[in-house]
Amino acid sequence: MSLLDMIGPVMIGPSSSHTAGACRLGLVAHHLLGEAPRRAVIGLHASFAKTGRGHGTHLALVAGLLGFSPDDPRLPHAFEEAEAAGLKVEFRDVDLGDVHPNTAHIELHGDTQAVTVQGSSTGGGVILVTHVQGLGVNFSGASPTVLLRYTDAVGMIARIASTIAADGVNIATLTCTRENRGGQALLAVELDAPLSPQALAFLGHWPDTNWVRMLPKLMDG
Amino acid sequence: MTTLQDLMNAPAPASAWVLAQDCAETGLDPQDIRAEMLRRIREMRASIERGLKTDAKSITGMVGWNAKGLWEAPDVLGAPLIKRVQAYAMAVNEENARMGRIVAAPTAGSAGTIPGALIGVADHLGLPDERLVDPMILAAGVGKAISKRMFISGAAGGCQAEIGSSAAMAAAAVTELLGGTPRACVHAASLALMNTIGLVCDPVGGYVEVPCVSRNAFFAVHAVSAAQLALAQLESFIPPDEVVTAMAQVGRLMPAELRETAEGGLAQTPTGLAVTARMEGREDAGGMIELPMV
């Protein structure tokens, strides 16, 4: 967390946790989908469910799904913008268990792709993404983050790390979870700078890689 | 930066130390941070100016005209600083409640406290925005130190965590603006925080309007009071980091009903429930309660 996260973000009100943070959670799904969003099912947990409507949480989540940042003046009109963009959204109140009270579960579909993202808005517009495609992760969007879903195999992390190093980019944090040995694995790598399109394409062309996405830095600081 | 104690023992001015620590940690350029802080101070000022001019109501109709009303009202107490600080703080939070553009500091619900206190004092003394950059950096540093020990949202820790943090940040900033030592700045923050412990987050209908808007006005003045005490050498008896820990502990002990769920406190008064019902479009909206019209 930087000084600019404490005095900031510059945002459309009324709530940094329920509006700006919600918008950023939507933005994560927007970037991870990688194509125009068509249909979303958004589960709202605890405080998001109870006080979200009054805070514009619903508008902010939809604004994020459309790719708007938290200071975008179109945010209060996100429902009209979604309709114009051909995005249909359904909201549900859900109990996600023992998670932060401001947590959303987003299922986002495009014409050919789909992504699920679960994350919490922990205050001041800061978010923590806890699940992507159903697997556990732990990243904040404060740095460019590369996400890979692949079939678990010996040496995958080493190959990914050396590709990133060859691109001249430093790794800040790395989390990896897998369903089971030899099953689906998800790696989230927070970076000091975005990867080049070439490096990203290289990672994506391996036979074991099922899915790769580059999430840009979402925070100002 | 890790603790308020480190900040208190830093060489003066405290803000320079905060900036150096942060740049070492994040790799950002100090000149870029200073330039961005100035831009944000100007965003804050723009939200104050918009908020003082309009009486447009918020989504619910509960707030929207108070900042302008106060700003244009006679100064009956002969306390122009207080009136200015309060009006500025409310102007920002009414803009926030209208879904206008504001700077979260540290959150949107508490966005008026720091501009109210810092820009309010600066305007009272005729100081330019450039003089506010370093105090604003210190405010951010204090917020960062607090947030290392607890979440700063009302949902996680009650309003003490949210507006308490903003008041602590503002108190430190005003103290530095007025020439206070790092020690005085941190004690100002600690005094402000000590006096908010136990503050519940009970927004009516779940909206960041009542009591949030007037609460920002009160806590902007609270921050200025803390700065005044600290500049007169008054210190927090409990060491600042222990105050933060105590605040975090109280936040954890606080029932969920008092942490931004709109299930306790003012939100559960007959009027609070009637507002909730009206906003949800329910049949029982209003009842016997006279509500402000939307």
Side-chain angles (χ1 to χ4, degrees):
Chain A
M1 184 176 291
S2 88
L3 298 174
L4 295 172
D5 299 321
M6 299 308 307
I7 304 293
V10 180
M11 58 168 283
I12 303 297
S15 166
S16 47
S17 55
H18 287 70
T19 316
C23 179
R24 282 177 172 153
L25 289 172
L27 269 175
V28 172
H30 167 87
H31 288 294
L32 296 187
L33 182 66
E35 63 179 19
R38 296 295 176 210
R39 189 168 70 82
V41 181
I42 303 178
L44 299 173
H45 171 80
S47 178
F48 262 8
K50 283 185 178 127
T51 71
R53 204 163 286 278
H55 290 97
T57 302
H58 301 63
L59 291 166
L61 279 159
V62 172
L65 295 179
L66 293 168
F68 303 169
S69 41
D71 68 340
D72 195 308
R74 293 172 294 177
L75 192 149
H77 316 291
F79 291 166
E80 292 94 310
E81 296 280 347
E83 201 173 330
L87 166 64
K88 289 193 175 8
V89 186
E90 183 189 326
F91 288 98
R92 290 177 185 162
D93 290 355
V94 291
D95 182 354
L96 298 170
D98 185 21
V99 296
H100 191 283
N102 295 330
T103 298
H105 182 276
I106 302 168
E107 187 187 309
L108 185 63
H109 299 265
D111 288 328
T112 63
Q113 305 272 327
V115 67
T116 63
V117 173
Q118 183 175 315
S120 308
S121 171
T122 59
V126 176
I127 60 165
L128 186 67
V129 179
T130 54
H131 293 84
V132 169
Q133 307 292 47
L135 289 167
V137 286
N138 190 328
F139 65 89
S140 69
S143 322
T145 305
V146 65
L147 285 112
L148 283 104
R149 189 172 165 132
Y150 57 88
T151 309
D152 177 45
V154 173
M156 271 303 277
I157 293 177
R159 287 167 64 196
I160 294 163
S162 48
T163 303
I164 293 171
D167 205 34
V169 175
N170 191 26
I171 293 175
T173 70
L174 184 151
T175 53
C176 182
T177 53
R178 61 178 184 182
E179 287 170 330
N180 49 47
R181 206 165 158 178
Q184 286 295 296
L186 183 77
L187 184 72
V189 192
E190 291 183 290
L191 304 166
D192 285 353
L195 280 189
S196 69
Q198 293 79 359
L200 205 61
F202 184 67
L203 291 172
H205 285 135
W206 294 341
D208 289 328
T209 308
N210 301 318
W211 181 84
V212 60
R213 290 284 184 274
M214 185 73 227
L215 179 72
K217 177 179 171 177
L218 300 178
M219 310 288 282
D220 310 310
Chain B
M1 185 179 61
T2 47
T3 66
L4 291 172
Q5 185 70 40
D6 295 338
L7 183 51
M8 192 155 69
N9 295 332
S15 56
W17 190 80
V18 164
L19 187 59
Q21 293 288 312
D22 195 66
C23 290
E25 197 179 300
T26 62
L28 297 172
D29 178 355
Q31 283 319 308
D32 290 349
I33 293 185
R34 299 188 87 251
E36 182 58 29
M37 264 322 165
L38 182 59
R39 196 177 77 77
R40 289 182 187 196
I41 289 162
R42 292 189 168 137
E43 285 278 1
M44 286 175 172
R45 184 176 284 289
S47 64
I48 290 169
E49 285 168 3
R50 285 194 305 274
L52 290 180
K53 271 188 210 134
T54 179
D55 54 8
K57 288 173 180 166
S58 65
I59 309 165
T60 66
M62 286 191 282
V63 297
W65 56 91
N66 295 301
K68 183 173 189 280
L70 175 63
W71 189 236
E72 290 172 356
D75 175 18
V76 287
L77 287 173
L81 172 66
I82 291 178
K83 193 177 106 161
R84 183 181 292 274
V85 165
Q86 290 186 319
Y88 281 18
M90 285 204 291
V92 174
N93 281 83
E94 288 190 334
E95 272 296 283
N96 184 55
R98 282 189 282 265
M99 293 195 88
R101 199 174 147 105
I102 52 98
V103 183
T107 65
S110 64
T113 307
I114 294 173
L118 190 60
I119 300 180
V121 168
D123 284 2
H124 180 73
L125 298 175
L127 302 173
D129 287 348
E130 287 74 11
R131 286 279 303 277
L132 305 183
V133 171
D134 291 329
M136 197 62 85
I137 285 168
L138 175 59
V142 168
K144 209 172 137 180
I146 293 171
S147 69
K148 295 249 156 144
R149 284 168 191 254
M150 79 169 303
F151 291 119
I152 52 168
S153 70
C159 207
Q160 53 167 7
E162 187 160 340
I163 206 150
S165 298
S166 71
M169 293 160 72
V174 170
T175 306
E176 179 162 308
L177 179 72
L178 300 178
T181 61
R183 187 176 181 89
C185 292
V186 174
H187 276 290
S190 184
L191 288 164
L193 206 53
M194 271 175 100
N195 204 38
T196 61
I197 287 182
L199 189 64
V200 306
C201 183
D202 53 353
V204 171
Y207 292 81
V208 193
E209 300 190 9
V210 175
C212 319
V213 171
S214 58
R215 201 167 270 177
N216 273 267
F218 285 117
F219 279 83
V221 176
H222 177 71
V224 175
S225 300
Q228 175 133 322
L229 296 183
L231 285 162
Q233 314 297 320
L234 198 138
E235 297 197 338
S236 157
F237 180 80
I238 306 296
D241 290 302
E242 293 183 27
V243 174
V244 178
T245 304
M247 192 250 282
Q249 184 207 31
V250 172
R252 282 191 293 273
L253 288 171
M254 217 176 255
E257 286 81 355
L258 303 178
R259 286 184 278 133
E260 210 182 344
T261 52
E263 290 181 339
L266 297 170
Q268 289 292 307
T269 56
T271 299
L273 292 171
V275 169
T276 310
R278 186 180 69 192
M279 295 313 293
E280 289 172 353
R282 290 206 311 262
E283 286 295 308
D284 57 335
M288 299 296 286
I289 309 290
E290 185 84 15
L291 291 177
M293 291 309 296
V294 178

